[in-house]
Each structure stands twice: as structure tokens, then as C-alpha cells.
Amino acid sequence: MNTVVCVKRVPETADADVSIGKSGKDIDKSGLAFDLNEWDSYAIEEAILLKEKLGGTVTVLTVGGEDSNESLRKCLAMGADDAMRLMDPAFDGSDGFVTAKILAEAIRRIPYDLILTGTQAEDDGYGQVGIVVAELLGIPHAAVVNRLEIQDKKARVHRELEGGWEEVYDIDLPAVLTIQTGINEPRYVSIMGIRKVAKKEIKTLGASDLNLKPEEVGLSGSDIQLEKIFLPPAGEGAEILEGKPEEIASKVFGILKDKGGLP
Amino acid sequence: MKEIIVLAEHRRGELRDVTWEMLSKGRQFADSIGAEIGVALLGNGVNALAEALKPKAHRVFLIQDQRFEAYNSETYEKALTPLITERKPLLTLIAHTSMGMDLAPSLAARLKMPLATDCIGIDVAGETFSLIRQLYGGKVNAAVSFLKKGPYMVTVRSGAFPVLEKEVLTGELVKFPSPLTDEGMAKRFIQYLEAAAGDVDITQADILVSVGRGIKEANNIPMVKEFADVIGGTLSCSRPVVDKKWLPKDRQVGTSGKTVKPKVYVAIGISGAFQHIAGMKGAGTVIAINKDPKAPIFGVATYGIVADLFKIVPVLKDKIKELRKS
């Protein structure tokens, strides 16, 4: 089982105080920590679990600058065999569709039985790239996969639906599956583990290596463009309970008695 | 005449709410540009659904086939490709749901249509579309435009658009032949599965105490459980807590978990991703505890406590325990 996993390095914003950057087109990323996209950490773990069970290789791919080596090395430390980074000045401004095009061109050059990506990225949240890769490669796909078993030349996959339901499919390989969080428990990577793979070669490929013309990629190849970003309207907003913790507790007690029927 | 086509989403015999939301937004949008609205319905034995859709559209495009008993991206793509190619709608709307996330990106790529996913706003001025979507888990909004000529495809977030009352239309039923055959399918639907019920039904609780990513470690969950016990509440959670296996799936509030309507909902360390808010916005009173004053949960909460949960929750527990005794 040779698996290709497409990953992305993203800023960690879940607990961060986010503000708009000077360009008006992105957030101010200074002071933010970066990590492997959460969905992708489940995708790489799933690929490594398959390798441990069935043998074969895991190749990890990303589109990004040198900073992204950090995320690729994390994947190598988790157990991936090879890493490849796709970068070219011409790739700047690429939307989800073009990102998929770049990845698909690279994947054509690698032997694969299965391609995994995260269902979406924490930053732009397109939820588009993996499925477009499948279409461009002419192979079947399934999105939002929360359970996966390989059975000979096919995969049995569960797709997460709304309201606690799942859909079960059989899907012929090779295929692209986009992996949902919670499918497994991504293994912990120690600093020692990262150090062990620090010297491992990360291949880099640019537009010409992938036979992509500059006009096919970047903003000129893209379907959509980000105009500006802004903070979401606050809504009506909560009444903020202020005071010392004990005073807040008394207020909460009052609310629970009044609205929750607490005796 | 210009046309906008909505893809009806239905499952196990019922149209899903997002279908009505897309039809409402699509209609408003069509009216603003002098276009008509159509709805595509793919199914098996779905005449009743087609009837239900007629008052909301100028045309109902119906394709029936036993192979449409359940959604499958492969069958849907085979049927929608000729339909969209023939009708050339200016805009095709698909829900940004599990189904739409599985279908729209490949369908748009196949049809060479520009696609904008997970949109919460759709506007047009002249020929220029302006779409609003969210970045960084809803922390910022982005205005996005298309760089290429239409026809376009947009996927729409569930719950983003209200269902507005409009004058009734008399949708013309337009039947399309099914292009499906029994030839080998690469993707075969097997069955639906429902998550196993647990020992607690969080949808029945009057008071829910819900814990999120902010709790940081499994070891910290008992602190919240003790607080829940003191106020007679039931413990629930947001998605990251289930993903990390700290609490079972049947405790999860949100789009992919349970929809709850307790009298009081206490959200602890939950930032308020839209998938979570969709599951708890029906609560009577919401008390949110979060250290980030900009957390989206404060936008839907009745009361907010801006504090470190590890400092405030033990005080709430002890003080309310004392107040209940006296």
C-alpha cells in the first residue's frame, strides 16, 4: 500500500487573539505559532497505520515555502518515508483549485494506491483540494471519511454525515479520501524524533519540473480571489458578568435558579 | 432567461433544511438580477418531494432512478453534468454539507466552473459576484470574487441564510432521463449507520454544561463534571473533545453530533465554531466562559464570563455549592 498524503502548515488560531494584518488580505501572523493542519495530522496518522499493517510507503507532499519543511519533518518523524515540497514564485496567490492542480501534477510522478488529505484546512477552510485532485487524476473519491478499512483493491469507508449518521461505501483503489478529525489518535512526536529526521532530504519541485506554465498557476490560473478580510459582525453580544469570581458565581447561581429551574 | 439552479439535498425521504435556505437565498438573488430559479431533485420515488418543491421554484428538474436511493457522488455527477451543461445556469447552489463537500469540488472541476465553497454571503453588482466566506475557523470573514467568467458554482453554509416568505410559484415539472446504467461503479453505497446511543441523552437535559478545546487535557474534565453535578447539569462537549476521545460521541453538541435545546447551556472553553453554534442556538439561556473576549460564542451567548476557565470554574463550583446549602 503506497500512500500519498497532502498536508499544509497553518497558523494556530484556535486560542489566539486574531487581528487583521496591514495588507487587509490576511491576519497578522506575527507572534502566532504554526503547526501541521489538524485535519492533516489525522490523515498522516491514518497513512502510517496502514503502512504498519500492510507495508508499503508513505509520501508526504505540500505546497509551500521553506517554512513548510517543519511540517514535513513532523510527518517524517511520525513515520512517513519521503517528503516533497512544491514551491515556485509563480504559485503565489493560488486558490484551492490551482493548489489541487499543482498537487495532482506532482502525484502523477509518484506510484500510489491511495491519496489522503485532511477534509479541510484550518486557515482557508475550502474543503476542496483533495476532491479536485481526484477529479484531475480521474480516480474516485470520498470526503469527510471517519473510518477506513482496506480490503484488497478497494477501501470500505465511512463518511461522516450530520446528526450522528454515517454513510458506508466501497470504493475502488486508487482513490482520494479526505480524512475527518477523530478517525484515529495522531501519535506524539518528540523533539528527539524531529531531530532524527532533521537531515533527511526534502525534494523540492517547481512549476517547470511539473510542466505547469506560469499562467496556469498562481492568481492567473485561479478561479477565485480574496479581496479583503474583516472581523465578523459581533451579533447582539452577551451581557458580560463582571466582578470578583465569588460575585460572578452568585450571579450565575441567580441565572440558574431563574432560567434553569435550579432549586 | 437567466437561471439559478439549487441542488435539493434530501436524505432518507426528507428534504434537509438547507434546501429551503438555498431556495430562499437563490430566489432573492434571482429576483435581484431578473433571473428564474430552478431546483434539481435526484432520487427514487420522490414525487412527493418534487411536489413540495414546486411552490419555491419556476422549474423542478426531476431525475428518478433506483440508483438514486442514496446519494453517491459518482451517480450525482453523471446526472448533473448533462443537466447543468444543457441549462447553463448562471449560478448553481449546492449545500456545504457532508454531501456538498463530497460532490461540488469534483463536479465544478469536471464542468470547468469556478467554485467558491462554504459561503455565508452572496451578492452581485452587474456581472461581478461578491461572496463572503470565513477563514481561521470563523475568526475572520473574507470577501471573495470570481476571476473567471461564469457559469459559477457556490456551496452554501447550512443556517447562513434565513427562509423568507415569498409569493408562491407554480414550479413546472421538467423530467430528465436518468443517464445511469448498471456498468461498474467505482464507488458503491452500502448503507447508512446511526451512531450508537449512549447511557445519557443530552437532548433531554434542562441544564447542559458543555466543555470544549479550552480544557486542554483529559485530566481536567472531572473539574467540569464536578461543577455540572453541583448545578444538576449534564456534561456535554464540543467536537475537539470527542476527536481526542476524552468524552464519547453521544455527548457531542453540534452539526455532526446532537442538536440540543436545554433551558440553560453553559459553554466552558468553547470558542463557538459555527458547527457547534448550530447545535445549541436553540438553548433558552447561554452562559459562555472563555478567556478570549472576541470568541464567537459571546456573539450568541446571553451572558458572558471573560476569564480563565481553570480559575473561574472551581470558584463557581464551590460558591454555588455553598449557596445551594444555605
Side-chain angles (χ1 to χ4, degrees), chain B residues 175-244:
Chain B
K175 290 186 181 170
F176 270 67
S178 168
L180 303 183
T181 61
D182 276 325
E183 68 176 290
M185 300 275 295
K187 187 177 179 184
R188 300 166 294 278
F189 177 82
I190 307 294
Q191 62 174 331
Y192 288 114
L193 285 180
E194 192 178 17
D199 54 341
V200 174
D201 184 358
I202 60 170
T203 65
Q204 298 303 312
D206 280 343
I207 299 177
L208 277 179
V209 176
S210 219
V211 60
R213 189 191 294 269
I215 198 69
K216 291 197 167 70
E217 286 181 39
N219 291 342
N220 297 326
I221 303 258
M223 175 186 83
V224 179
K225 173 75 168 71
E226 284 164 25
F227 170 60
D229 289 343
V230 164
I231 65 168
T234 300
L235 189 64
S236 57
C237 64
S238 64
R239 169 154 207 140
V241 174
V242 174
D243 281 347
K244 294 188 165 75

Side-chain angles (χ1 to χ4, degrees), chain A residues 232 234, chain B residues 137-139 270-274 277 292-301:
Chain B
K139 291 221 166 175
I270 293 175
S271 64
F274 82 92
I277 289 172
D292 176 9
K294 286 194 232 165
I297 192 77
F298 289 124
V300 294

Side-chain angles (χ1 to χ4, degrees), chain B residues 7-10 39-44 46 49 53 61-65 68-72 75-80 83 99 103 179-180:
Chain B
L7 175 63
E9 181 164 332
H10 58 100
V39 55
L41 175 64
L42 282 53
N44 180 37
V46 289
L49 302 188
L53 291 168
F61 302 106
L62 177 65
I63 315 180
Q64 300 224 62
D65 190 306
F68 287 134
E69 186 64 42
Y71 159 79
N72 179 338
T75 56
Y76 266 56
E77 279 177 36
K78 274 186 186 151
L80 288 168
L83 191 155
M99 173 183 134
L103 173 67
L180 303 183

Side-chain angles (χ1 to χ4, degrees), chain B residues 101-117:
Chain B
M101 291 173 80
D102 192 56
L103 173 67
S106 53
L107 181 62
R110 178 171 298 195
L111 289 161
K112 303 207 173 351
M113 289 164 76
L115 166 69
T117 59

